[in-house]
């Protein structure tokens, strides 16, 4: 069946099996994911609304935070509703082209999330190491161009995933042991040689994640040197406290990502497959859920903005 014409073989649809080995618990597993999705949508949309309406938050740091929130909401929306349909209604079928589209958006948006975190690290570097030039370096046009460049980088590096996956012949099973269409999970279903997919996937991860982590590391090394050189302990504490929420966001994002990458590459059979799938889902869900909570708790300006907006809305209601 996989002869000369195998390259033209493509299934009409795939079947997403959810979390293999935990099918009996799908209904219960869906509950925390649903709860996390609700928090993600409310928290991140609330942050975007707050930043857009509160003039005190019209600063580069918060513009980047709004971009991160938008990316997080979009990322979760590409996977979670479909995942809940699998868990609760057993709706496992996904059209071949829809699967490719989901795969593209998942990887492009995770790449963009990483890029925005890198931009936020550069923002903190400029704010702490070059405070007098902060407003002249990070102007609105520069912020717009940086955001657009991050988006285009993700699109250009992830777009080949769809072509590399579409060219593969699918003459075996169309069952994917996953909750969403991940690049390598789809490629492994094919009966062709997916070595190119694996190599390019690793290359894309290095060009996006590797480059971003390098820039973040360099930025925080420079920040640490600048903070340590300050004479006043109070000034050191104040300077570094502006970075704590961003450091939390970096840890929340990169720890599950690195665990997923290394267990897939080097974990072999030592880690059960359902653990791989659960971690992969947490990798997509955890940062969008926790980021608005972390920034809300750690950032004084956001807390003040929430209080101010709340009382402003309350006054409007009283006047009506």
């Amino acid at each position: 069946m996989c002869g000369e014409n195998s390259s033209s073989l493509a299934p009409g649809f795939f079947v997403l099996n959810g979390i293999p080995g935990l099918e009996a618990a799908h209904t219960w597993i869906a509950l925390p994911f649903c709860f996390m999705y609700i928090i993600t949508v409310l928290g991140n949309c609330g942050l975007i609304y707050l930043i857009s309406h509160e003039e005190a938050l019209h600063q580069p740091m918060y513009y980047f935070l709004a971009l991160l929130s938008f990316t997080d909401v979009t990322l979760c929306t590409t996977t979670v509703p479909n995942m809940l349909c699998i868990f609760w209604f057993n709706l496992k079928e996904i059209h071949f082209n829809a699967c490719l589209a989901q795969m593209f958006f998942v990887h492009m948006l995770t790449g963009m999330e990483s890029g925005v975190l890198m931009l936020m690290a550069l923002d903190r570097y400029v704010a702490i190491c070059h405070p007098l030039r902060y407003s002249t370096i990070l102007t609105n046009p520069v912020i717009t161009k940086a955001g657009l460049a991050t988006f285009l980088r993700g699109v250009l590096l992830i777009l080949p995933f769809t072509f590399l996956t579409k060219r593969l012949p699918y003459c075996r099973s169309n069952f994917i042991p996953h909750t969403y269409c991940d690049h390598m999970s789809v490629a492994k279903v094919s009966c062709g040689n997916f070595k190119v997919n694996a190599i390019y996937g690793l290359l894309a991860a290095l060009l996006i994640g590797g480059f971003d982590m390098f820039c973040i590391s360099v930025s925080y090394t420079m920040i640490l040197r600048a903070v340590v050189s300050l004479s006043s302990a109070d000034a050191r504490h104040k300077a570094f406290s502006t970075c704590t929420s961003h450091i939390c966001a970096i840890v929340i994002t990169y720890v599950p990502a690195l665990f997923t990458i290394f267990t897939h590459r080097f974990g072999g059979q030592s880690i059960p497959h359902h653990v791989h799938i659960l971690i992969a889902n947490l990798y997509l869900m955890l940062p969008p859920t926790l980021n608005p909570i972390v920034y809300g708790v750690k950032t004084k300006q956001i807390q003040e903005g929430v209080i101010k907006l709340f009382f402003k809305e309350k006054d409007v209601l009283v006047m009506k």
Side-chain angles (χ1 to χ4, degrees), residues 130-152:
H130 304 283
L132 298 178
R133 298 172 58 202
Y134 181 67
S135 58
T136 56
I137 294 173
L138 290 175
T139 60
N140 286 346
V142 169
I143 294 165
T144 304
K145 287 173 186 175
L148 186 60
T150 305
F151 170 73
L152 290 175

Side-chain angles (χ1 to χ4, degrees), residues 164-212:
L164 289 172
T165 307
K166 195 165 187 175
R167 72 177 177 85
L168 292 171
Y170 296 89
C171 48
R172 290 203 298 255
S173 170
N174 63 344
F175 287 83
I176 300 174
H178 215 302
T179 55
Y180 61 88
C181 293
D182 171 70
H183 174 225
M184 287 311 298
S185 296
V186 176
K188 286 177 181 178
V189 174
S190 79
C191 52
N193 188 342
F194 53 84
K195 196 178 206 179
V196 176
N197 293 67
I199 293 169
Y200 185 76
L202 188 58
L203 179 64
L206 288 172
L207 288 173
I208 295 175
F211 175 77
D212 292 343

Side-chain angles (χ1 to χ4, degrees), residues 50-81:
L50 181 66
I51 291 166
S52 64
H53 282 75
E54 187 55 51
E55 283 188 25
L57 300 178
H58 291 179
Q59 298 175 32
M61 174 184 170
Y62 301 109
Y63 290 146
F64 288 132
L65 179 57
L67 181 59
L68 180 66
S69 293
F70 176 77
T71 304
D72 284 345
V73 170
T74 311
L75 174 60
C76 283
T77 303
T78 61
T79 56
V80 179

Side-chain angles (χ1 to χ4, degrees), residues 208-231:
I208 295 175
F211 175 77
D212 292 343
M213 282 191 282
F214 172 76
C215 290
I216 290 168
S217 300
V218 171
S219 296
Y220 272 101
T221 301
M222 300 297 285
I223 288 169
L224 194 59
R225 286 177 60 186
V227 170
V228 169
S229 67
L230 293 172
S231 56

Side-chain angles (χ1 to χ4, degrees), residues 36-51 65-74 76 113 285-293 295:
M36 289 169 76
Y37 181 60
I38 292 168
I39 293 174
T40 297
V41 173
L42 293 177
N44 286 288
C45 289
L47 265 181
I48 294 168
Y49 180 82
L50 181 66
I51 291 166
L65 179 57
L67 181 59
L68 180 66
S69 293
F70 176 77
T71 304
D72 284 345
V73 170
T74 311
C76 283
E113 182 180 49
M285 290 291 300
L286 208 58
T289 305
L290 295 181
N291 282 344
I293 298 171
Y295 277 95

Side-chain angles (χ1 to χ4, degrees), residues 226-255:
V227 170
V228 169
S229 67
L230 293 172
S231 56
S232 165
D234 186 54
R236 286 197 295 270
H237 178 265
K238 188 177 179 182
F240 203 70
S241 66
T242 64
C243 301
T244 53
S245 52
H246 183 241
I247 292 169
C248 289
I250 290 168
V251 171
I252 290 164
T253 301
Y254 283 111
V255 169

